């Protein structure tokens, strides 16, 4: 889904908009985008981004120069990479990632998507995760997130806290 070979006008516009949205907090006219897989550098350069391919293990050092990183979520190899990615997000970095959740069980030697996909570990604290469902054939069902989410992830609680702070 994030591969130059599958790029068409609609997918290209989605990727361009998603990259701009993920880079908005940088305030840069030409955000730095790191591409770990997919060969998207040429496409993104043509649309006003400064892109660079990076490879190898995800580390604080490998991500430090980028405002946004684009990668295959299945390419995260372990919990250490997931923690680095989680810290990068907490520090304001943007991430665009894709994985074919419904095919994970078929391609991962019996591991489970919920427990064994390192990218799910990285994204749980922000309330995001991949499931094995496909649309529209599967009916909507819940996706168990194991850690407790911060109370301010609830919009109603956040609004109440803001009102209380404003009147104090």
């Amino acid at each position: 889904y994030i591969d130059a070979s599958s790029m068409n006008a609609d997918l290209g516009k989605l990727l361009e908009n998603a990259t701009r949205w993920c880079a908005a907090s940088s305030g840069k006219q030409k955000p730095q985008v790191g591409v770990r897989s997919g060969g998207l550098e040429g496409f993104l350069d043509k649309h006003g981004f400064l892109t660079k391919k990076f490879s190898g293990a995800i580390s604080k050092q490998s991500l430090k120069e980028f405002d946004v990183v684009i990668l295959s979520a299945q390419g995260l190899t372990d919990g250490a990479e997931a923690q680095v990615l989680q810290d990068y997000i907490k520090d304001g970095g943007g991430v665009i990632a894709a994985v074919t959740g419904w095919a994970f069980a078929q391609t991962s030697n019996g591991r489970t998507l919920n427990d064994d996909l390192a990218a799910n570990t990285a994204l749980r604290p922000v309330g995001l995760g991949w499931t094995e469902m496909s649309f529209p054939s599967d009916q909507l069902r819940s996706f168990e997130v194991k850690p407790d989410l911060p109370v301010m992830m609830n919009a109603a609680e956040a609004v109440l806290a803001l009102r209380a702070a404003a009147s104090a």
Side-chain angles (χ1 to χ4, degrees):
Y1 299 110
I2 51 172
D3 189 277
S5 66
S6 57
M7 199 59 51
N8 61 37
D10 291 338
L11 185 56
K13 190 63 175 171
L14 175 64
L15 181 63
E16 180 184 354
N17 288 342
T19 305
R20 288 201 192 291
W21 183 81
C22 285
S25 66
S26 75
K28 295 178 182 174
Q29 189 70 15
K30 284 191 153 210
Q32 270 301 121
V33 179
V35 178
R36 188 172 183 197
S37 55
L40 297 167
E41 301 88 353
F43 172 83
L44 291 167
D45 284 341
K46 288 178 189 174
H47 288 88
F49 300 97
L50 298 172
T51 60
K52 180 179 176 183
K53 182 172 178 61
F54 72 102
S55 59
I58 289 182
S59 65
K60 189 172 185 174
Q61 183 70 21
S62 69
L63 299 181
K64 74 176 186 170
E65 66 185 284
F66 303 121
D67 302 304
V68 177
V69 293
I70 299 174
L71 50 89
S72 164
Q74 199 158 342
L76 292 179
T77 58
D78 60 26
E81 282 191 329
Q83 185 61 54
V84 168
L85 192 61
Q86 188 178 93
D87 292 343
Y88 174 77
I89 293 167
K90 285 180 184 176
D91 290 339
V95 175
I96 297 172
V99 67
T100 324
W102 53 264
F104 186 82
Q106 299 168 11
T107 61
S108 62
N109 297 321
R111 295 181 304 148
T112 65
L113 187 68
N114 188 32
D115 297 324
D116 299 317
L117 180 67
N120 269 346
T121 304
L123 295 175
R124 274 190 191 119
V126 296
L128 297 174
W130 282 272
T131 72
E132 295 172 351
M133 295 184 332
S134 60
F135 181 81
S137 62
D138 286 348
Q139 296 207 354
L140 184 62
R141 54 185 189 250
S142 64
F143 177 73
E144 180 184 348
V145 176
K146 292 179 180 175
D148 291 330
L149 295 175
V151 69
M152 291 302 147
M153 291 286 294
N154 180 308
E157 293 294 330
V159 169
L160 290 174
L162 288 170
R163 284 184 180 161
S167 64

